[in-house]
Amino acid sequence: MLFFNSKIHYYLRTRGLLLVLGLLSVFLGVGSVLANPGLIAEKRKVTRVQAVYLKHLINFTHWDANDLPVPSKSAKVLLLGDNEGGMVETFEYLVSESKMKIGGRSVEVIHFEKPLAPDAIKAIESNPSVIFLLPKSNSQAKKIRDLSPKSLLVGNGRDLVEKHKADIAFTVSKNRVRLVIREKSFTRKSPMLSSRISALRNVVEVIP
């Protein structure tokens, strides 16, 4: 019975994720047409959508216990680069408001404006659970991946996945946010994305 209940709970959570991602994608497209905001407002809107996407993607990612800190310590999410559009504050709010957990651990969000500053490199090498590359940080993606090969690496732009072995990249086309996801992210042991995410074909593109 417990197993059955857990499967039902997982199914409902997954359906909720797919619904949220689908609605967000549609909302971004429709909202931009109706409101016709300026460039800064549009960037903020995209940033808010990305922050919500990131939150849900983390919730549907599994980490092996060996890739997490001891239970008494928090799991780390690093945000690296310029804080354009308020991504850091938006994501911090979502983490706090939802009481986000990674593998049962509390989550600590850490921002470094300079991705390869000494303190940032030390944090990257400590195997954080998630690394999110903010705008203008893509040029450092290869080195960051080499420093932390087991982190879930997320950022912006298709090239991040195709050329720099990131796991997930946000792309914006016709005012819609989409996800480009590396196929290996669904099959490796840790961190492993739920395969159900790939079912949302109007939002997600899976590439080798």
Side-chain angles (χ1 to χ4, degrees):
M1 181 62 71
L2 288 175
F3 174 76
F4 178 77
N5 288 339
S6 66
K7 294 290 285 185
I8 290 293
H9 179 65
Y10 177 77
Y11 172 77
L12 292 174
R13 288 179 66 233
T14 303
R15 286 296 299 270
L17 168 68
L18 300 182
L19 179 62
V20 167
L21 295 186
L23 288 175
L24 281 173
S25 177
V26 172
F27 171 77
L28 180 62
V30 173
S32 62
V33 172
L34 295 177
N36 191 25
L39 181 60
I40 294 177
E42 189 68 21
K43 284 184 177 180
R44 288 175 179 168
K45 183 185 293 185
V46 170
T47 295
R48 289 195 298 270
V49 173
Q50 289 181 342
V52 175
Y53 269 48
L54 182 60
K55 172 199 163 188
H56 285 288
L57 289 166
I58 290 172
N59 285 337
F60 281 82
T61 301
H62 166 77
W63 280 266
D64 188 86
N66 293 328
D67 295 327
L68 291 170
V70 296
S72 60
K73 293 188 176 181
S74 59
K76 304 296 192 295
V77 177
L78 301 188
L79 280 67
L80 305 177
D82 294 338
N83 184 26
E84 293 184 3
M87 178 68 174
V88 175
E89 293 81 6
T90 302
F91 185 68
E92 285 178 334
Y93 170 78
L94 292 173
V95 169
S96 175
E97 184 271 339
S98 66
K99 297 180 174 58
M100 179 186 285
K101 301 282 187 181
I102 292 179
R105 283 80 169 164
S106 60
V107 174
E108 181 182 359
V109 180
I110 304 172
H111 173 229
F112 293 99
E113 187 173 346
K114 297 181 178 179
L116 296 181
D119 287 349
I121 290 177
K122 184 177 180 180
I124 294 167
E125 291 177 331
S126 69
N127 190 33
S129 299
V130 182
I131 298 176
F132 184 81
L133 299 182
L134 292 158
K136 302 178 183 177
S137 297
N138 282 14
S139 61
Q140 312 294 343
K142 185 179 184 303
K143 184 166 184 178
I144 290 168
R145 171 51 89 197
D146 290 342
L147 290 171
S148 190
K150 291 188 176 182
S151 297
L152 184 73
L153 184 59
V154 187
N156 289 273
R158 186 185 186 90
D159 283 354
L160 201 64
V161 175
E162 290 185 331
K163 297 181 180 180
H164 301 303
K165 298 183 179 179
D167 299 296
I168 305 168
F170 295 115
T171 64
V172 180
S173 177
K174 297 180 180 179
N175 297 318
R176 291 177 182 264
V177 174
R178 292 176 55 84
L179 302 172
V180 178
I181 302 179
R182 190 159 61 118
E183 187 176 23
K184 184 179 178 181
S185 303
F186 295 108
T187 59
R188 67 185 175 199
K189 183 179 179 181
S190 175
M192 181 176 66
L193 290 173
S194 167
S195 60
R196 292 178 181 266
I197 294 173
S198 63
L200 197 62
R201 295 181 181 178
N202 65 322
V203 175
V204 175
E205 178 185 0
V206 179
I207 63 175

